[in-house]
Amino acid sequence: MGMRRVRVARLPLAAAICLAIAAPAIAQDTGQPAGQGGTATATATAKQATPPAKKPKTTTLSEVTVTAQKRVENLQKVPISINVLENDQLQSLQVQGFKDYVQYLPSVDFQEGGGGIATGPGFASIYMRGVASGGNTNHSGSQPSVGVYLDEQPITTIQGPLDIHMYDIARIEVLAGPQGTLYGASAEAGALRIITNKPDASAFAANYSLDTNTVTHGGIGGTVEGMLNIPLSSDAAIRLVGWHEHDAGYVDNVAGTRTYPTSGITISNADNCVPSATLQCVGHARNDYNDVNTSGGRAALKVDLDDNWSITPTLMGQQTISHGTFASDPTVGYQDVTHFYPEYVDDRWWQGALTVQGKIGDFDLTYNYSHLKRNQEEATDYSDYSFWYDTLEGWGSYITDNSGQLINPSQFITDRDHYTDSSHELRIASPSDDRLRLVAGAFWQKDKHDIMQDYQIDGLASSLSVPGWPNTIWLTRQMRYDYNEAVYGELSYDFIPDVLTLTIGERYYRTKNNLYGFYGYSTGFDPTSSYGQAGCINASPFLGAPCLDFNKSVKDSGSLGKANLTWNISHDAMIYLTHSEGFRPGGINRAGDTPPYQADFLTNFEFGWKTSWLDNRLSFNGAVFRENWNNFQFNILGPNGLTIIKNAGSARIDGFESQLVWQASYHLNLSAGVAFYDAKLTSNYCGFTDNAGNPVTNCPAGTINPQTGDAVTGPEAPTGTHLPITPRFKGNLVARYTFDLGDNDAYVQGALVHVGERSTDLRVEENSLFGDLPAYNLVNLSAGFEKGSWTASLYLNNAFNAHAAQYKFAECGVDICGAHGASSLYPDGQVYTGYSQPRTFGVRFKQDF
């Protein structure tokens, strides 16, 4: 019996939006504006379950399409410095998460850890083009300077963007430099876009992938992934994707002890620990401490309402449970720590998104909506903080039980971060082949962050505990809201069609940051504090905390501009000049009378080129630029480990970026990417602001800090100091050789990644305590065999087991935890180093249907 198909024709925009929002799942951008390949035309008879056709062998480079400018365009025609990793590259490079693909993006760097913040998946602070001040990042810190997007929906949260498992991904687009006009506040230094594969009504498709791997001096990992694309009619299809990944641990929690000098109490994490009056057994040492389990899925539906209108709702979610820490303590050993209390992260999120695409006359209309819920629950060993403050300041003498006896002062943290992020975007685009073209839109976003951090000490006296929170020495219970509203537009005019084009853009924005709640001690522990229970501004409890001890907000508004002149010298060569601007909103400092921090701005002057050579066998793209970073925000750990954000004068980044791809023959493909940066201060960083929050840049010895009343000894970082985190040079080279093996295809591939030396902190003294990060090289090798619809491959990542140091941090302020000579146990302080994953050998099998 045949099934009757009901077709909705010529649905008005408002009704289409309402209908789509009422659907069970809400969705994300298809990456294809309506009228440009966005509707399905295949008939039901074409939907056969056939294996995908083998790619033809060719000596020319295939066209790469991107949607960076809110249109579908050829990469070689887009006047922006863009790195693109396509689906085939992601698979051949064995990319499964952020740390896998970031090494192949020369313009991108990252940092993790510090101040009780966890390390591992989902906690990376991302930087681009050297726009990095380093410092601490936590829930009350600055917004990120790089925007991360899933299709066109933002997925950036304060402590790090979602670390999405990379399966069934069409491509990753990395837009370097300020993208303020089209992307706004979250893209001051650039934007990173993860574009998913969309439902396809033209044919059934399915695949699965199996992987197992082993890590040197670590455990065994594995991955199971699958995709199903099901046409529902000639006008509708659903795409289902699922995955489960187990990442083996490789950092060992080594058995050891720690003795607190004030009380003489020793704690041990050893399995064979025997407790006594002065020895307490806490935690359990184990090998392969930092394993990770990730499970998730994506469901997307695409319905063509008629030849012009379509809706695409999507629902995606993932849970990542990680244990231990991903950084090492060099006083214990390479890839070793000695920690005493439980450490884990349970990171759960889901995002519903919706894209409605259509045409009004000749204009393309796109509406994007997303709603992100992210819940992170963590436990962190914070005993370093307790040990160092006891060693240097006798802190343990204040920590007693109800009988007044000194107790083990070790702290550990249980915390929870709940994010809710909603955004709407409505934009219109004129026909792409018109001489005068317009892209314009409106954007609205609201971020809510519900924060709870519970710093606990077992057996703590009731009088010292925060009321209502037994054993809690310090409680943070806060709500944070970030609002962003904007209207934007870019207008392009071809002075000479297909040859000379001028583009001008503008974005008008309004932002607001509101932070309020409770943070601090009980009056029993600190009766004179300006915060905590002693600093209550009312007597009413706040979300379980004793009271509200601060409530602050700040607003801002302004505009950003862009101008671009593009000259298509020939079909194969294009050059461009760009002036663009980006910004990052200001916000609240919760600590005492510390003034709010102001917005910072990045101005970019860029000359770029995109060229093809040798009958499209070779592409050579690049850009040189100068970026001025004004009034930039710098996060530091202040007294009691409180994050304080200060504006810090100005910096300049001069840079060169280039990508080269060469199809040398049918068999050999070579690609390379390089980035050279000279990023340094153009004014002194004095370490304080005036009472209005403006950075002070003239601070000879004896200058008085108005916040503390103390005299300074000079600038903490003088003019000419290089910005931290980013190397002067970063590059990669990938060579892939394919060949026939009987009637089948095979390949071998090698990839080399080089990252130069980097400083770790902007401040000269603090950087000397941390120490620089040395340069490193990583070599990744793979080989594979393809027969019909299936592919088997072997890979060896970090083939020479390089000890590649990627970031450093201290659990408390570096002047405390990183103090040289402060302890016989830690003569050089206690600074952690995050290394790349050791040598990993794996086998992967994939089959398409």
Side-chain angles (χ1 to χ4, degrees):
M1 181 176 178
M3 181 176 67
R4 184 181 175 209
R5 190 183 70 180
V6 178
R7 183 182 179 95
V8 182
R10 307 290 178 187
L11 193 67
L13 173 62
I17 293 176
C18 292
L19 174 64
I21 291 177
I26 35 186
Q28 64 213 27
D29 173 31
T30 64
Q32 273 189 314
Q36 300 184 37
T39 58
T41 58
T43 63
T45 57
K47 298 167 186 172
Q48 304 297 321
T50 56
K54 186 179 295 186
K55 287 190 175 182
K57 295 178 180 179
T58 178
T59 58
T60 61
L61 299 174
S62 59
E63 180 178 308
V64 178
T65 59
V66 296
T67 53
Q69 296 190 122
K70 311 292 188 179
R71 299 177 183 270
V72 177
E73 298 174 287
N74 183 344
L75 172 65
Q76 292 300 103
K77 300 299 181 182
V78 180
I80 300 175
S81 181
I82 308 179
N83 281 119
V84 178
L85 294 175
E86 293 188 282
N87 178 268
D88 289 349
Q89 294 171 290
L90 295 172
Q91 293 186 48
S92 66
L93 293 169
Q94 318 300 329
V95 168
Q96 292 193 308
F98 170 75
K99 288 186 181 179
D100 296 327
Y101 63 76
V102 72
Q103 60 187 319
Y104 299 105
L105 303 175
S107 63
V108 182
D109 296 282
F110 73 97
Q111 182 184 32
E112 291 181 8
I117 302 302
T119 58
F123 288 93
S125 297
I126 302 176
Y127 308 106
M128 291 180 65
R129 277 193 170 179
V131 182
S133 59
N136 172 255
T137 300
N138 76 359
H139 50 264
S140 58
S142 300
Q143 291 193 34
S145 62
V146 173
V148 181
Y149 298 82
L150 177 61
D151 294 308
E152 292 202 33
Q153 286 75 31
I155 57 170
T156 304
T157 58
I158 293 297
Q159 293 180 170
L162 307 180
D163 194 341
I164 296 174
H165 181 79
M166 293 287 107
Y167 186 69
D168 197 47
I169 300 298
R171 64 187 180 278
I172 296 174
E173 298 179 8
V174 179
L175 289 59
Q179 304 298 323
T181 305
L182 293 180
Y183 293 92
S186 61
E188 178 185 37
L192 192 157
R193 305 179 66 225
I194 300 168
I195 310 299
T196 61
N197 287 320
K198 306 302 186 293
D200 181 3
S202 67
F204 171 85
N207 59 54
Y208 70 91
S209 174
L210 305 173
D211 175 284
T212 185
N213 58 74
T214 179
V215 181
T216 298
H217 302 303
I220 296 176
T223 305
V224 179
E225 306 159 314
M227 181 279 292
L228 193 62
N229 183 86
I230 306 172
L232 303 177
S233 70
S234 62
D235 301 314
I238 188 169
R239 195 177 190 96
L240 305 174
V241 185
W243 56 87
H244 175 77
E245 177 184 1
H246 172 70
D247 294 332
Y250 51 85
V251 173
D252 293 342
N253 190 12
V254 177
T257 61
R258 165 172 275 166
T259 300
Y260 288 92
T262 298
S263 65
I265 293 173
T266 299
I267 58 175
S268 170
N269 68 346
D271 287 333
N272 59 355
C273 173
V274 178
S276 67
T278 58
L279 178 63
Q280 297 189 14
C281 303
V282 292
H284 298 280
R286 71 176 178 89
N287 293 335
D288 308 335
Y289 188 45
N290 60 324
D291 61 299
V292 183
N293 288 288
T294 301
S295 300
R298 184 175 78 246
L301 172 69
K302 186 171 187 292
V303 179
D304 295 318
L305 303 174
D306 59 19
D307 291 340
N308 293 321
W309 288 91
S310 69
I311 60 173
T312 308
T314 302
L315 184 64
M316 184 173 181
Q318 181 174 285
Q319 180 178 31
T320 300
I321 299 176
S322 60
H323 300 99
T325 178
F326 290 75
S328 304
D329 184 346
T331 61
V332 182
Y334 167 67
Q335 303 291 21
D336 293 329
V337 296
T338 295
H339 282 185
F340 301 92
Y341 292 88
E343 295 181 292
Y344 68 85
V345 176
D346 185 350
D347 186 359
R348 308 181 305 278
W349 61 266
W350 64 266
Q351 184 191 59
L354 169 72
T355 295
V356 179
Q357 295 175 307
K359 297 184 74 70
I360 298 179
D362 291 334
F363 284 75
D364 295 328
L365 190 72
T366 302
Y367 169 73
N368 290 307
Y369 167 73
S370 73
H371 184 74
L372 172 67
K373 294 281 288 187
R374 184 183 192 184
N375 295 331
Q376 290 177 310
E377 297 177 2
E378 308 159 38
T380 308
D381 183 318
Y382 206 50
S383 59
D384 287 0
Y385 180 97
S386 304
F387 172 79
W388 283 98
Y389 274 90
D390 188 40
T391 299
L392 297 177
E393 300 184 8
W395 185 78
S397 62
Y398 302 98
I399 309 304
T400 63
D401 60 17
N402 283 328
S403 64
Q405 297 297 311
L406 293 180
I407 60 173
N408 167 20
S410 297
Q411 290 188 46
F412 56 93
I413 310 172
T414 58
D415 59 271
R416 184 192 69 235
D417 293 281
H418 288 181
Y419 300 93
T420 304
D421 184 337
S422 296
S423 66
H424 301 262
E425 182 185 27
L426 181 66
R427 71 172 182 269
I428 192 167
S430 62
S432 59
D433 54 358
D434 284 357
R435 189 169 183 178
L436 181 65
R437 301 178 297 281
L438 172 71
V439 174
F443 179 78
W444 179 90
Q445 184 178 19
K446 175 184 176 182
D447 293 336
K448 175 185 176 183
H449 186 182
D450 184 346
I451 303 159
M452 189 282 291
Q453 290 193 317
D454 185 2
Y455 293 71
Q456 300 169 67
I457 298 174
D458 284 333
L460 184 67
S462 300
S463 62
L464 302 178
S465 301
V466 175
W469 297 75
N471 299 322
T472 296
I473 185 71
W474 175 287
L475 177 67
T476 298
R477 192 70 183 90
Q478 298 173 179
M479 296 292 291
R480 173 174 179 163
Y481 288 90
D482 290 281
Y483 299 89
N484 182 11
E485 301 171 349
V487 292
Y488 64 87
E490 284 195 357
L491 188 67
S492 299
Y493 179 71
D494 296 334
F495 286 103
I496 303 175
D498 300 322
V499 177
L500 189 64
T501 302
L502 174 67
T503 298
I504 56 174
E506 195 79 13
R507 187 181 189 100
Y508 297 90
Y509 64 84
R510 293 190 307 188
T511 63
K512 180 181 178 180
N513 173 237
N514 186 201
L515 184 66
Y516 59 94
F518 177 91
Y519 71 102
Y521 303 107
S522 69
T523 52
F525 187 83
D526 189 350
T528 62
S529 175
S530 60
Y531 52 86
Q533 189 181 8
C536 286
I537 59 178
N538 61 45
S540 300
F542 174 74
L543 299 179
C547 64
L548 195 74
D549 64 6
F550 79 108
N551 187 351
K552 302 179 181 181
S553 65
V554 63
K555 297 180 180 180
D556 196 10
S557 62
S559 64
L560 303 168
K562 175 183 176 180
N564 172 273
L565 184 64
T566 301
W567 179 20
N568 289 289
I569 301 171
S570 69
H571 178 74
D572 297 323
M574 175 259 280
I575 59 174
Y576 65 88
L577 290 170
T578 295
H579 171 263
S580 57
E581 297 174 329
F583 91 112
R584 178 169 47 168
I588 296 303
N589 272 306
R590 58 179 175 165
D593 297 326
T594 306
Y597 55 95
Q598 302 174 1
D600 58 13
F601 294 86
L602 187 69
T603 304
N604 176 50
F605 303 89
E606 182 172 331
F607 168 73
W609 62 91
K610 302 220 171 150
T611 61
S612 298
W613 304 81
L614 306 177
D615 295 325
N616 198 34
R617 291 173 53 194
L618 183 146
S619 67
F620 174 52
N621 302 337
V624 293
F625 64 87
R626 167 167 288 184
E627 293 183 341
N628 294 315
W629 194 15
N630 296 316
N631 213 32
F632 70 86
Q633 298 165 14
F634 183 35
N635 296 8
I636 65 169
L637 280 179
N640 291 320
L642 285 177
T643 296
I644 297 175
I645 305 96
K646 300 178 181 180
N647 293 95
S650 59
R652 184 178 67 217
I653 303 100
D654 293 326
F656 167 80
E657 300 165 342
S658 183
Q659 307 88 42
L660 183 146
V661 182
W662 180 28
Q663 189 68 47
S665 68
Y666 287 119
H667 305 291
L668 180 62
N669 179 276
L670 299 172
S671 62
V674 297
F676 295 86
Y677 299 124
D678 183 20
K680 57 189 177 184
L681 293 178
T682 52
S683 65
N684 293 328
Y685 171 63
C686 293
F688 58 92
T689 65
D690 63 21
N691 288 326
N694 300 303
V696 174
T697 58
N698 183 22
C699 52
T703 302
I704 301 300
N705 180 335
Q707 276 83 55
T708 65
D710 299 327
V712 302
T713 58
E716 296 184 18
T719 299
T721 301
H722 279 268
L723 300 183
I725 312 303
T726 302
R728 292 176 181 266
F729 171 71
K730 181 181 178 183
N732 64 77
L733 174 65
V734 181
R736 183 181 179 90
Y737 186 81
T738 60
F739 56 96
D740 296 330
L741 196 61
D743 295 330
N744 304 299
D745 294 332
Y747 77 91
V748 293
Q749 178 174 286
L752 170 66
V753 174
H754 173 81
V755 176
E757 185 179 49
R758 296 134 289 152
S759 60
T760 50
D761 198 286
L762 177 68
R763 299 160 294 180
V764 173
E765 181 179 354
E766 283 75 3
N767 188 71
S768 69
L769 297 174
F770 272 129
D772 288 340
L773 292 164
Y776 66 83
N777 297 298
L778 294 177
V779 175
N780 301 324
L781 306 174
S782 61
F785 176 81
E786 181 178 346
K787 181 177 178 63
S789 63
W790 61 265
T791 304
S793 58
L794 307 174
Y795 59 90
L796 189 64
N797 291 337
N798 193 3
F800 298 104
N801 203 30
H803 296 181
Q806 298 179 324
Y807 55 89
K808 290 185 178 183
F809 67 89
E811 195 166 85
C812 50
V814 66
D815 56 329
I816 300 294
C817 287
H820 288 294
S823 165
S824 59
L825 181 62
Y826 303 99
D828 294 319
Q830 193 170 14
V831 175
Y832 290 85
T833 302
Y835 293 97
S836 61
Q837 183 166 309
R839 179 171 48 236
T840 303
F841 173 73
V843 180
R844 177 167 294 170
F845 178 85
K846 182 181 179 183
Q847 186 172 14
D848 294 292
F849 298 94

